[in-house]
Amino acid sequence: MGTKSVRSAPGNLLSIVILRRGKCGLTKCITRYMVAMAAADLLVIIFDVIMYEINDIYFSYSFLHYTPVCSLNMALIFATIDCSVWLTVAFTFDRFFAICCQKLRAKYCTERTAAIVIAPVIGLSFVENIPIYFRSEHLEMINNTAWFCRVKSSSSGLPIWVAYFFVDITLTPFVPFLLILLLNALTIRHIVQASRVRSRLRGNNVIEEHNDPQIEKRRKSIILLLAISSTFILLWTLTFVYSICTHFAGISFMLTDYNDPFAIMENTGYLLQRLSSCTNTFIYAVAQANFREELKTIVKYPWTLIIRKLKLDVSKPQRKNYPT
């Protein structure tokens, strides 16, 4: 799973480049959210998959295993995951206002508002995970050097850490999961009702409805929204269920008995959670024709330069060398 996630890093980087070009036929507001989500997903892959998982498997006792670096990396992992999740929520809110709240659309669904929303989401995601750094301690001491990191055993029973853990797990994934479900349900309900009303006003003319640009625009918006939101819900479901189990059934995190069904659920949930950082690029490619065209242009660009260079070399007149 780690290597597959790493392969998606160029995809996220490519998404950022393509979306920043602004030629995908999307509004500047939507583009800002998508660029922010792609950047957050890329950071999750860098800190979680590359600097944690792959480093742990292939590089023993590397620089990243020093306790201060390991503790910082753990805090960055949780911060980038929170950032990715809450940017998805922000994008879902934006599409909800754009589709369901016509009065707020002109005021809320703007590039400026998107920037105002994205900045605090990123900032708060990192600030909220600062305690993770101070909750870690070394696992080994070798030549007076602290190696690796783990959660302090003394912190497990402290009320302040219990409260922090409860708030942290409530903010991610409980609240985002429920918000996305609710907003999607309200958005779908609004679109279905609006489509019915529009069909009645147009006299149920199937041909006219098919050629109606307003309905086509709604369809494209809902396809993109539901593709991103539904993928998030699908890939976070196991983590959501396991989090409920840890709260109400007294099950511990990080079970080591891999024959235990809850351990299987936990690790499968983590796998799917990481996979959620790799899917948005494919969603853009499937849902947006302009994105696919831009992707083809960028992929073909190096070959176009090579062919152009070869044609220029062939077309240059050859100099004749006369004997002196």
Side-chain angles (χ1 to χ4, degrees), residues 310-324:
L310 291 173
K311 286 181 178 179
L312 285 173
D313 290 341
V314 170
S315 62
K316 283 181 181 179
Q318 297 296 321
R319 294 180 62 186
K320 294 181 179 179
N321 294 323
Y322 296 98
T324 57

Side-chain angles (χ1 to χ4, degrees), residues 254-268:
M254 302 302 291
L255 295 172
T256 55
D257 180 9
Y258 294 109
N259 293 319
D260 188 300
F262 285 104
I264 295 171
M265 182 194 297
E266 179 185 16
N267 284 279
T268 305

Side-chain angles (χ1 to χ4, degrees), residues 156-167:
S156 57
L158 293 176
I160 188 170
W161 286 115
V162 172
Y164 173 79
F165 176 74
F166 177 79
V167 171

Side-chain angles (χ1 to χ4, degrees), residues 218-233:
R218 281 204 193 113
R219 281 175 182 164
K220 289 180 180 179
S221 295
I222 197 63
I223 286 170
L224 185 61
L225 170 65
L226 290 183
I228 293 173
S229 301
S230 301
T231 303
F232 172 84
I233 291 168

Side-chain angles (χ1 to χ4, degrees), residues 8-52:
S8 70
N12 281 316
L13 189 59
L14 201 57
S15 295
I16 294 170
V17 173
I18 292 172
L19 292 167
R20 288 288 296 172
R21 284 165 59 89
K23 296 181 180 180
C24 293
L26 301 170
T27 64
K28 291 182 178 180
C29 174
I30 295 176
T31 300
R32 272 193 179 268
Y33 281 113
M34 287 187 169
V35 169
M37 287 190 292
D41 289 341
L42 179 61
L43 289 176
V44 172
I45 293 168
I46 291 171
F47 291 120
D48 192 1
V49 179
I50 298 175
M51 295 179 67
Y52 181 71

